[in-house]
Amino acid sequence: VQLQASGGGSVQPGESLTLSCVVSGSIVRANDMGWYRRFPGKVRELVASITRDGTTNYSDSAKGRATISRNNDLNTVHLQMNSLKPEDTAVYYCNGNLVTDYSGRQIIYWGQGTQVTVSS
């Protein structure tokens, strides 16, 4: 089981970007999923999260500029970011709390990280 993130890249300030993450491999269920980011030399911080039933949570920096969504049938989670700023430049990681067998045990998985660079 893996999380595969995509969609990073270089954009100019004010532009938008959508990150996508898909669960590959066989799972029973994806519970909470989310996106984190890490600035150089810093620990990962939450950008946004979404429960299985669609309840969302955003960091203060992401509120009003980001939208997280998911598709439970496809086991995907997306992060649309608008009005990007240079200070959004970071490596973005998707995260999933996955149930991989019928014991019900939940394991946290991380995607490989995708670079987002906002620069003029």
Side-chain angles (χ1 to χ4, degrees):
V1 176
Q2 292 181 329
L3 295 185
Q4 297 176 321
S6 62
S10 295
V11 297
Q12 295 190 341
E15 293 186 338
S16 299
L17 201 64
T18 298
L19 305 180
S20 296
C21 181
V22 59
V23 178
S24 64
S26 178
I27 64 170
V28 174
R29 185 177 65 253
N31 291 332
D32 292 3
M33 301 189 78
W35 287 93
Y36 289 69
R37 64 185 180 185
R38 185 171 66 191
F39 301 111
K42 304 289 186 180
V43 298
R44 274 184 290 213
E45 63 177 38
L46 175 70
V47 179
S49 65
I50 184 168
T51 64
R52 185 169 178 81
D53 66 1
T55 301
T56 58
N57 179 50
Y58 296 94
S59 67
D60 288 342
S61 63
K63 283 179 184 175
R65 298 192 299 127
T67 301
I68 189 170
S69 60
R70 64 186 288 169
N71 183 313
N72 292 333
D73 292 332
L74 299 178
N75 290 324
T76 58
V77 62
H78 307 279
L79 181 70
Q80 179 179 341
M81 299 184 293
N82 302 316
S83 303
L84 284 162
K85 306 174 183 179
E87 50 264 43
D88 293 317
T89 296
V91 179
Y92 286 71
Y93 297 87
C94 61
N95 158 282
N97 294 264
L98 308 180
V99 178
T100 59
D101 59 41
Y102 288 96
S103 72
R105 186 167 62 106
Q106 178 175 270
I107 301 173
I108 298 173
Y109 286 82
W110 292 92
Q112 81 279 17
T114 184
Q115 177 72 45
V116 172
T117 301
V118 185
S119 173
S120 56

